[in-house]
Amino acid sequence: MSLGAGGHAASVVDALRGVAELAAVVGESSRSWEVPYLASDEAGMDAAAANGWRLLVNIGDNAAREALIDRVPPELLFCGIASSATVAVDAELGDGTVVLHHAHIGPDARLGPGVIVNTGAIVEHDVVIGASAHVAPGAAVLGGSRIGARALIGSGARVLPGITVGADAVVGAGAVVVDDVADGALVVGQPARPRPAGQDLT
């Protein structure tokens, strides 16, 4: 069952075709899901518990996803891995983590609950990623790096080996991170630097 019915949910459900069957969706959407809609997250959790279903929290916003995962009993959470993804046998994935098409998780990587490793993203050996962080499509987090809770590594970004990216930090699309990033910081560019105040990213 999907808790969430937006664009991220559609990407996850598509990636897990053949891996898991979608039973129901919670959330408003203009998409045709062809499964029952449930009125609330609580109704979804009750239905999952009653029917032996597992839940994926399919919400793209890191903080909102974390808040919902914190309310779901851990035994109901499903870790979704696309059939085209590769996950090392000794990697550890937290409850509710999602690994999408052609993503790679390397040896001894440790991912907290609710992490998204998006399409074509790479999480290399010995990386540690905190709860509800998101490694966006095509991004790479290289060996031994540390990514804080709720951090966002933007599409196509590179976090070089051994770097720490703090909690709630944002690494802009295409950035190359060569120095540690503070909690809550936004860095952009090659090499990545803090965004100047007032700079428009559009």
Side-chain angles (χ1 to χ4, degrees):
M1 174 186 298
S2 174
L3 297 182
H8 175 66
S11 295
V12 172
V13 168
D14 182 68
L16 297 182
R17 289 186 194 281
V19 175
E21 182 178 346
L22 182 64
V25 170
V26 178
E28 296 181 5
S29 177
S30 60
R31 300 176 190 278
S32 175
W33 288 91
E34 300 177 358
V35 295
Y37 280 85
L38 302 179
S40 68
D41 297 327
E42 288 70 24
M45 287 183 256
D46 290 346
N51 292 289
W53 297 339
R54 302 291 294 281
L55 298 170
L56 268 174
V57 179
N58 288 323
I59 298 172
D61 179 87
N62 292 351
R65 185 171 65 260
E66 182 176 63
L68 184 51
I69 283 176
D70 286 346
R71 292 169 44 209
V72 176
E75 65 273 12
L76 295 181
L77 286 170
F78 176 67
C79 188
I81 303 171
S83 60
S84 62
T86 56
V87 178
V89 295
D90 58 356
E92 292 182 7
L93 306 184
D95 294 332
T97 288
V98 174
V99 183
L100 296 184
H101 282 308
H102 306 292
H104 171 73
I105 311 292
D108 287 316
R110 304 285 179 264
L111 281 62
V115 170
I116 299 170
V117 181
N118 218 313
T119 308
I122 297 169
V123 174
E124 267 297 351
H125 64 87
D126 302 297
V127 166
V128 176
I129 299 183
S132 298
H134 184 170
V135 183
V141 180
L142 302 181
S145 294
R146 301 290 183 264
I147 307 299
R150 298 169 307 279
L152 171 62
I153 309 303
S155 297
R158 300 289 182 263
V159 178
L160 296 189
I163 295 295
T164 295
V165 175
D168 301 299
V170 175
V171 174
V176 177
V177 183
V178 299
D179 296 307
D180 291 351
V181 177
D183 292 353
L186 167 60
V187 298
V188 296
Q190 299 180 5
R193 296 286 181 257
R195 185 186 75 162
Q199 180 182 353
D200 185 359
L201 293 180
T202 59

